[in-house]
Amino acid sequence: MEILISNSSSIPIYEQIKEQVKSAILNGEILEGEMLPSIRQLALNLKISVITTTRAYKDLEVEGFIYSVQGKGCFVSQRNSEYIREQKLKEIEEHISIAINSSKMIKLSNDEFREIINILLEENDKGGEK
């Protein structure tokens, strides 16, 4: 797992770390039960404060993505797959609801809305085939 941070981003560094670890878990790059780099090692690798990596790991633990074992380190939680899927489905539903509300503001018909979705899905499928 490679974590890239941007000092010029408006997103706090701990949040950048947290989101990249989440993404790696969701994409199967890091598997259930797998050990994460230690807080100190990650801070050293990224050339940042241990406090920052601690915050990222604590947030991930609170959200159920990882768990820590005293003296051994942090590991990817085993209940992730279904829990994460539900969280992502909820997020997708929220985004689609926002898109529906926006489409209603400009009086877009349901057929036009569906056409936009279909075009975007087709473009995404083509992009994945490259």
Side-chain angles (χ1 to χ4, degrees), residues 5-21:
I5 56 171
S6 170
N7 291 324
S8 61
S9 173
S10 62
I11 300 169
I13 293 173
Y14 78 90
E15 190 76 31
Q16 292 177 49
I17 295 167
K18 182 175 85 168
E19 290 306 315
Q20 289 180 53
V21 171

Side-chain angles (χ1 to χ4, degrees), residues 12-15 17 39 43 48-57:
I13 293 173
Y14 78 90
E15 190 76 31
I17 295 167
I39 290 170
I48 59 172
S49 166
V50 171
I51 294 169
T52 303
T53 55
T54 300
R55 169 85 187 265
Y57 276 23

Side-chain angles (χ1 to χ4, degrees), residues 3-99:
I3 295 177
L4 302 172
I5 56 171
S6 170
N7 291 324
S8 61
S9 173
S10 62
I11 300 169
I13 293 173
Y14 78 90
E15 190 76 31
Q16 292 177 49
I17 295 167
K18 182 175 85 168
E19 290 306 315
Q20 289 180 53
V21 171
K22 271 189 199 180
S23 179
I25 292 169
L26 287 170
N27 294 330
E29 190 179 324
I30 308 173
L31 303 175
E32 293 177 359
E34 193 171 327
M35 187 170 138
L36 296 174
S38 73
I39 290 170
R40 282 191 173 87
Q41 187 61 52
L42 184 59
L44 185 64
N45 292 349
L46 297 175
K47 296 175 176 58
I48 59 172
S49 166
V50 171
I51 294 169
T52 303
T53 55
T54 300
R55 169 85 187 265
Y57 276 23
K58 282 189 183 206
D59 284 2
L60 286 163
E61 191 166 10
V62 166
E63 292 179 27
F65 285 90
I66 67 172
Y67 65 95
S68 60
V69 177
Q70 189 70 26
K72 295 199 181 212
C74 294
F75 301 84
V76 177
S77 294
Q78 302 227 330
R79 65 184 186 109
N80 270 337
S81 51
E82 192 56 36
Y83 175 74
I84 292 169
R85 179 169 162 56
E86 285 300 316
Q87 278 191 322
K88 285 296 173 189
L89 283 172
K90 183 179 180 215
E91 187 178 310
I92 291 167
E93 290 169 1
E94 289 171 359
H95 288 291
I96 291 173
S97 290
I98 291 168

